[in-house]
């Protein structure tokens, strides 16, 4: 799995884990579009077990509801590719694993649109202490594999941004 983790992603993963360890905090992931790639990236650095709790791959829509408590009415109304779904997944994995932070992704990697959403539509969310939420909704392009890798990078970058902003305000 390490073959897709380039130096930039390896450095970002190491930075996120260092910030978590310094703060005595943990993270868990809920992945749809990336199917475990974020968890794999976050566990490349040695010592990742000090901050990485685990993850859920909820590729099927009903698993988002059953495992992560994404509201069924939200899934029925909006489909699986929606910012509210990513937020609910992040909160759900955080509760499920007892992590301080939950990081979740959902989107369309292609080759075909899904639930009326075009290829490259992505929603990333982080749930943190105090039920605080952060999100990114990038529109990505490229082939399926390229889009999935871009989602991993965007996700780890968002986690780093959240942790760096919180460390300045709370952990320092």
């Amino acid at each position: 799995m390490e073959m897709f983790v380039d130096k930039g992603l390896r450095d970002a993963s190491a930075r996120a884990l260092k910030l978590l360890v310094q703060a005595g905090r943990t993270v868990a992931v809920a992945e749809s579009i990336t199917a475990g790639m974020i968890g794999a990236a976050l566990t490349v650095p040695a010592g990742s077990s000090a901050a990485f709790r685990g993850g859920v791959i909820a590729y099927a829509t009903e698993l988002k509801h059953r495992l992560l408590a994404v509201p069924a009415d939200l899934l029925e109304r909006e489909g699986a590719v929606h910012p509210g779904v990513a937020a609910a997944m992040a909160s759900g994995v955080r509760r499920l694993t007892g992590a301080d932070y939950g990081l979740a992704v959902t989107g369309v990697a292609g080759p075909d649109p899904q639930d009326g959403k075009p290829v490259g539509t992505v929603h990333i969310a982080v749930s943190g202490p105090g039920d605080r939420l952060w999100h990114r909704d990038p529109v990505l392009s490229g082939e399926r594999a390229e889009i999935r890798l871009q989602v991993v990078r965007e996700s780890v970058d968002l986690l780093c941004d959240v942790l760096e902003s919180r460390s300045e305000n709370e952990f320092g």
Side-chain angles (χ1 to χ4, degrees):
M1 233 19 211
E2 290 184 30
M3 65 183 154
F4 77 87
V5 181
D6 61 24
K7 182 174 178 355
L9 182 54
R10 188 173 307 119
D11 291 348
S13 295
R15 189 169 81 243
L17 290 164
K18 179 181 177 184
L19 289 163
L20 286 162
V21 170
Q22 286 174 339
R25 302 291 180 129
T26 58
V27 67
V29 295
E31 300 184 60
S32 184
I33 186 174
T34 52
M37 293 170 65
I38 297 168
L42 288 173
T43 56
V44 167
S48 59
S49 61
F52 185 77
R53 298 276 300 159
V56 172
I57 299 171
Y59 212 67
T61 299
E62 79 265 7
L63 290 181
K64 290 171 181 64
H65 171 68
R66 194 164 8 132
L67 297 177
L68 300 169
V70 175
D73 64 326
L74 173 63
L75 291 166
E76 289 172 23
R77 186 176 64 250
E78 302 293 344
V81 181
H82 186 268
V85 172
M89 290 172 64
S91 296
V93 78
R94 189 173 153 248
R95 281 190 303 273
L96 182 67
T97 63
D100 297 297
Y101 291 91
L103 169 61
V105 295
T106 187
V108 184
D112 300 314
Q114 178 186 335
D115 296 333
K117 309 294 189 324
V119 172
T121 303
V122 174
H123 302 290
I124 306 166
V126 172
S127 172
D131 292 325
R132 185 110 188 260
L133 285 168
W134 298 264
H135 68 90
R136 277 192 190 157
D137 303 311
V139 177
L140 306 174
S141 62
E143 297 295 318
R144 179 178 172 79
E146 294 168 312
I147 289 172
R148 293 175 76 213
L149 187 53
Q150 289 175 65
V151 174
V152 174
R153 288 185 178 117
E154 288 276 347
S155 300
V156 174
D157 285 346
L158 175 58
L159 179 61
C160 285
D161 289 349
V162 167
L163 295 170
E164 287 169 344
S165 71
R166 291 189 64 87
S167 68
E168 293 169 7
N169 296 326
E170 297 175 19
F171 306 143

